[in-house]
Amino acid sequence: MTNSPLNLEIVYQTRQMISPYCLRTNIVRSNRLSSVTGANILLKLECLQNIGSFKIRGAASKITSLTSAEKQNGVITASTGNHARAVSYVAKQNGIPVTICMSEDVPENKVEAIRALGAEVVIFGHSQDDAFRKVTELQEREGKILVHPFDDLHVISGQATIGLELIEDLPHLERVIVPLSGGGLISGIGFAMKTVNPSIEVLGVSMDSAPVMYHSLRAGRPIQMPEEDTLADSLRGGIGLDNRFTFQMVQNFVDDVILVTEKEIAAAMAYLFKEHRLVVEGAGAVGVAALLSQKILPKDKNTAVIISGNNIDIPFFLKAVQPYLNNMI
Ligand SMILES: *Cc1c(COP(=O)(O)O)cnc(C)c1O
């Protein structure tokens, strides 16, 4: 393994720090998916994690690492979804002021949901990039601490605690399938699992509309792409042209990246709903999408799939899964 800025000792310390905020999530076997694929398929249910996604692990890891002076200045980030929820929740639990920057295009219900968690929402500009520019300004002007959604070693160490749980709960595991956007989740899991067992295969899955990490890997450097609409909205966004950690960690710890279509994502959401009675957002279902579409082939492997989150409007969810509920494979 090439030299990594993390080590397992740090991840174990992180686990202790974040345990007041996070659950050790359940793992269930997918009997149907196992018989369809010929592999042993186990689902790690981060969609049942505290406040609805694994992002709480990274947020808690970063926030609990701060000094008391830093905590007083407050934390800041730009996000409309799971990361904003997680940062707001942990900050609030600790009495730390929290500012979330969003663009004017973010729907009012999302803004309200974040306000309801106790965050101050600052609306600025017309894109996620604009919102991030505001973050930088407030960081410099008010000394607020950035909780980056993925490109931060504390955050990555938080996500890596999922890898520890998988190693302990499923010692026979041979492969792990992980939703991939900025790469904090897969960097952490890949690092922890390959450090313990280098033969574990780590596969990333992204949507086929604007998969920035996928194209960055092919280009050999971080690239930029315009965002596109997708059911997997939590996977939207870039990796940062000035990426510090995740691009290199994905190069080191990820064996392959697979892309899935919108239809495959919707079918996977319907599958999880019907077979497991789970409401999973698009980003959380991409691993199952890659298996159902046979883009990842069985090879008899003991396979864990990370089901990463459940943050989706119920009417929107029902509309997406409806066409697939009657004719499942
Ligand atoms: C953030 C997020 C991801 C992607 O995580 P990265 O660390 O950016 O790769 C996947 N699924 C859900 C539900 C998320 O919120």
Side-chain angles (χ1 to χ4, degrees):
M1 212 83 328
T2 25
N3 55 329
S4 164
L6 265 186
N7 65 56
L8 272 188
E9 218 175 304
I10 296 175
V11 181
Y12 277 100
Q13 284 162 5
T14 297
R15 168 147 83 177
Q16 201 167 7
M17 296 297 285
I18 70 174
S19 70
Y21 309 96
C22 305
L23 301 169
R24 184 184 193 105
T25 49
N26 282 334
I27 295 166
V28 295
R29 182 168 195 269
S30 185
N31 291 329
R32 181 100 193 276
L33 206 46
S34 298
S35 66
V36 168
T37 59
N40 184 30
I41 308 291
L42 301 140
L43 309 179
K44 172 81 167 155
L45 301 182
E46 286 293 303
C47 56
L48 302 183
Q49 180 56 268
N50 189 11
I51 74 156
S53 83
F54 73 91
K55 288 275 194 333
I56 189 91
R57 298 178 186 255
S61 172
K62 179 68 178 181
I63 291 172
T64 57
S65 78
L66 301 177
T67 65
S68 49
E70 288 172 327
K71 286 178 182 168
Q72 263 178 7
N73 284 337
V75 293
I76 188 165
T77 196
S79 158
T80 62
N82 289 319
H83 182 61
R85 292 171 58 82
V87 171
S88 302
Y89 176 88
V90 179
K92 210 59 202 168
Q93 293 278 308
N94 286 278
I96 299 172
V98 50
T99 309
I100 307 289
C101 297
M102 292 183 191
S103 83
E104 284 172 24
D105 308 333
V106 177
E108 191 55 31
N109 63 336
K110 285 206 166 182
V111 177
E112 272 317 309
I114 300 302
R115 278 206 184 104
L117 287 166
E120 183 192 343
V121 177
V122 174
I123 309 276
F124 184 81
H126 289 283
S127 66
Q128 185 72 357
D129 280 351
D130 286 347
F132 244 108
R133 263 190 284 284
K134 193 71 185 172
V135 168
T136 309
E137 183 194 316
L138 291 173
Q139 252 183 298
E140 283 163 8
R141 203 171 70 205
E142 299 176 12
K144 293 191 179 297
I145 305 294
L146 170 64
V147 184
H148 198 282
F150 55 87
D151 203 20
D152 179 294
L153 285 179
H154 289 288
V155 171
I156 295 167
S157 182
Q159 324 309 24
T161 60
I162 297 173
L164 298 184
E165 292 172 21
L166 288 172
I167 291 160
E168 291 164 359
D169 294 346
L170 305 169
H172 59 307
L173 205 63
E174 295 162 286
R175 174 167 55 190
V176 60
I177 301 175
V178 186
L180 170 61
S181 174
L185 178 61
I186 204 167
S187 294
I189 293 175
F191 163 75
M193 300 195 76
K194 289 217 179 190
T195 303
V196 175
N197 176 2
S199 70
I200 285 184
E201 194 184 354
V202 179
L203 302 176
V205 186
S206 300
M207 68 288 176
D208 66 0
S209 39
V212 181
M213 184 64 88
Y214 175 87
H215 287 295
S216 297
L217 290 168
R218 306 191 104 192
R221 64 187 161 80
I223 60 149
Q224 241 172 350
M225 293 174 79
E227 288 187 17
E228 289 175 27
D229 260 352
T230 169
L231 257 180
D233 57 331
S234 292
L235 301 185
R236 276 171 52 158
I239 68 166
L241 288 178
D242 53 353
N243 187 290
R244 295 168 67 202
F245 304 110
T246 59
F247 178 65
Q248 203 190 348
M249 288 182 80
V250 169
Q251 282 182 318
N252 289 343
F253 300 120
V254 176
D255 295 283
D256 201 3
V257 178
I258 290 96
L259 302 182
V260 291
T261 66
E262 294 299 299
K263 282 188 174 159
E264 288 162 353
I265 295 169
M269 290 162 74
Y271 172 87
L272 287 162
F273 186 49
K274 194 167 172 183
E275 289 295 317
H276 294 281
R277 302 302 193 244
L278 290 170
V279 174
V280 175
E281 60 176 285
V286 294
V288 169
L291 285 166
L292 281 175
S293 62
Q294 304 194 326
K295 287 179 173 171
I296 294 176
L297 291 168
K299 293 191 283 185
D300 282 343
K301 292 211 170 163
N302 292 306
T303 299
V305 185
I306 309 297
I307 310 296
S308 51
N310 73 3
N311 185 14
I312 185 168
D313 270 6
I314 290 293
F316 185 63
F317 172 82
L318 292 173
K319 199 165 151 244
V321 300
Q322 184 58 46
Y324 299 90
L325 287 180
N326 293 324
N327 55 350
M328 311 274 322
I329 62 157

